Amino acid sequence: MRILSGIQPSGTLHLGNYFGMMRPSIELQDQGEAFYFIADYHSMTSVFDAATRRQHTLNVALDFLACGLKPEKTTFFRQSDIPEVTELAWILSTVTPMGLLERCHSYKDKLARGISPNHGLFAYPVLMASDILIYNSNTVPVGKDQKQHVEVTRDIAIKFNLQYGETFVIPEPQIRDEVAVVPGLDGQKMSKSYGNAIDIFGDEKVLRKRIMSIVMDSRSPNEPKPDAEKNLAIQLLKLVAPADISTDFENRLRVGGLGYGDLKKALFEHYWSYFSTARAKREELAANPDYVQKVLRDGAARARQLAGEVLEKARKACGLR
Ligand code: ADP
Ligand code: TRP
């Protein structure tokens, strides 16, 4: 089984990225042949500064390796080291109906937030389809917001196969229901671009302050809170604390007697210790950038071999050979 996923170097990675995409991907490493990449071509639709892109790319590599990606087992690479994906994206775009892209929520959401769209942003799902199809991927672990893009990929692959003959493997999205959408500090989906994220790594003081700043309602500590499961700190605590501890906090909130300050303090402590091993590993890796670059180079060499074969098959199928 080929497992494939990607993440954009468009900002600092946060708990939504970790629980929605990174942890499921890392856990799947032993269940098949995993290909994970840093989607730097995709980041070009929203990041317009070269140094920023380079910096985020290195940071995503450090974050992923620190969190447990095993480069000896998993093929880990930079998307742009495989230029074949851009050629396949063109080929796929010619069998992609405009309506399919016009219906994509992620594009519509970005428009709604006032982003002035470029063609790359509109065509982004076609490049994503190329990423997935060029490695004969069977399963794609992603957060819920990316599910539609994997469905678009399936539609494009089916259309190409019908038009030009069986060429591509049809992939399946893999979504973890319990962490499909991790909420941010404002209760909306946690996102790099909404200013509501808790980063995986960073300065302790800053992160403590961020967690302590989560806005709660004005009910007094002693008042019972029958809606305790909806509390944002409880929802986040469930991700980073052992189940018996988060259940205990939830019950104490429900019956009354637990203050929001104490709850947020506990959330910070559990969050901080959840990532302590990864934090130490990240420091080691950051001191050894040559190693990180080598991992990405070796991964790219492996990925490129397969990408070349699948692209050639697609070229032949549609008469470019
Ligand atoms: P962002 O919205 O922060 O820019 P991306 O779109 O780069 O995040 O998402 C990278 C991966 O992380 C995707 O698989 C996405 O589904 C997942 N992801 C991002 N935010 C969340 C979230 N709040 N909850 C669950 N998964 C998320
Ligand atoms: N679009 C994905 C995101 O923003 C990143 C991505 C690009 C991706 N290509 C992919 C994810 C292929 C899975 C498979 O998160």
Side-chain angles (χ1 to χ4, degrees):
M1 181 177 71
R2 166 89 20 77
I3 308 150
L4 173 128
S5 197
I7 192 158
Q8 294 190 59
S10 54
T12 307
L13 299 187
H14 52 71
L15 297 186
N17 298 136
Y18 180 76
F19 289 103
M21 182 271 184
M22 296 166 73
R23 193 177 70 168
S25 303
I26 286 164
E27 286 174 2
L28 281 170
Q29 286 180 110
D30 298 319
Q31 293 185 28
E33 223 185 317
F35 275 49
Y36 299 145
F37 65 93
I38 305 171
D40 53 352
Y41 280 142
H42 274 104
S43 75
M44 298 187 72
T45 60
S46 62
V47 173
F48 299 97
D49 180 70
T52 306
R53 187 174 350 275
R54 262 184 223 114
Q55 189 59 52
H56 285 324
T57 302
L58 175 64
N59 283 339
V60 170
L62 291 172
D63 291 354
F64 236 121
L65 290 166
C67 288
L69 186 140
K70 298 184 220 159
E72 58 298 345
K73 176 128 212 331
T74 290
T75 300
F76 185 41
F77 58 100
R78 218 183 339 242
Q79 184 186 29
S80 64
D81 282 340
I82 323 294
E84 285 80 359
V85 292
T86 61
E87 180 176 345
L88 184 63
W90 169 256
I91 293 175
L92 297 175
S93 76
T94 61
V95 295
T96 305
M98 289 292 283
L100 195 61
L101 299 180
E102 279 160 0
R103 280 195 294 278
C104 286
H105 306 304
S106 136
Y107 178 70
K108 289 195 284 192
D109 288 351
K110 283 176 185 150
L111 286 197
R113 276 191 285 125
I115 290 176
S116 145
N118 49 56
H119 171 257
L121 189 69
F122 181 69
Y124 166 136
V126 184
L127 180 59
M128 183 157 161
S130 176
D131 288 326
I132 296 171
L133 301 177
I134 208 163
Y135 304 110
N136 288 331
S137 313
N138 304 103
T139 184
V140 184
V142 280
K144 195 173 163 196
D145 57 322
Q146 294 294 325
K147 185 172 180 224
Q148 191 186 28
H149 291 156
V150 183
E151 286 162 357
V152 166
T153 301
R154 290 168 59 87
D155 288 348
I156 295 175
I158 290 169
K159 192 116 192 288
F160 185 98
N161 286 354
L162 270 177
Q163 188 68 44
Y164 293 117
E166 281 304 311
T167 305
F168 297 119
V169 173
I170 311 298
E172 297 276 352
Q174 195 174 124
I175 319 275
R176 293 278 181 96
D177 285 337
E178 70 280 14
V179 286
V181 181
V182 175
L185 296 175
D186 55 358
Q188 302 294 307
K189 176 196 128 138
M190 187 178 289
S191 174
K192 295 175 202 115
S193 47
Y194 297 175
N196 65 355
I198 302 173
D199 295 344
I200 306 172
F201 300 108
D203 179 70
E204 180 171 1
K205 256 197 192 150
V206 173
L207 288 161
R208 184 193 300 271
K209 211 167 150 196
R210 231 169 140 59
I211 287 184
M212 295 310 289
S213 76
I214 299 178
V215 179
M216 301 267 148
D217 55 48
S218 57
R219 287 178 288 180
S220 74
N222 287 329
E223 205 175 315
K225 302 180 181 67
D227 54 352
E229 75 285 353
K230 292 203 192 104
N231 181 283
L232 191 59
I234 292 289
Q235 289 182 44
L236 294 171
L237 192 65
K238 282 183 182 164
L239 297 172
V240 293
D244 53 335
I245 293 185
S246 58
T247 308
D248 182 52
F249 272 98
E250 187 177 341
N251 290 338
R252 283 167 60 199
L253 197 64
R254 184 163 288 119
V255 297
L258 171 66
Y260 289 141
D262 288 340
L263 172 60
K264 289 192 271 186
K265 233 190 246 164
L267 171 60
F268 174 77
E269 297 304 336
H270 282 283
Y271 149 76
W272 196 251
S273 76
Y274 185 92
F275 290 106
S276 64
T277 312
R279 199 172 299 120
K281 179 97 194 282
R282 196 183 189 285
E283 269 176 35
E284 256 173 54
L285 290 161
N288 199 352
D290 291 349
Y291 166 77
V292 177
Q293 295 301 346
K294 183 175 181 323
V295 164
L296 294 176
R297 261 199 320 275
D298 292 352
R302 273 184 273 165
R304 199 160 183 196
Q305 169 76 28
L306 177 59
E309 290 166 19
V310 176
L311 175 63
E312 200 49 32
K313 191 172 169 194
R315 279 171 146 259
K316 275 198 189 122
C318 58
L320 294 173
R321 275 282 184 277

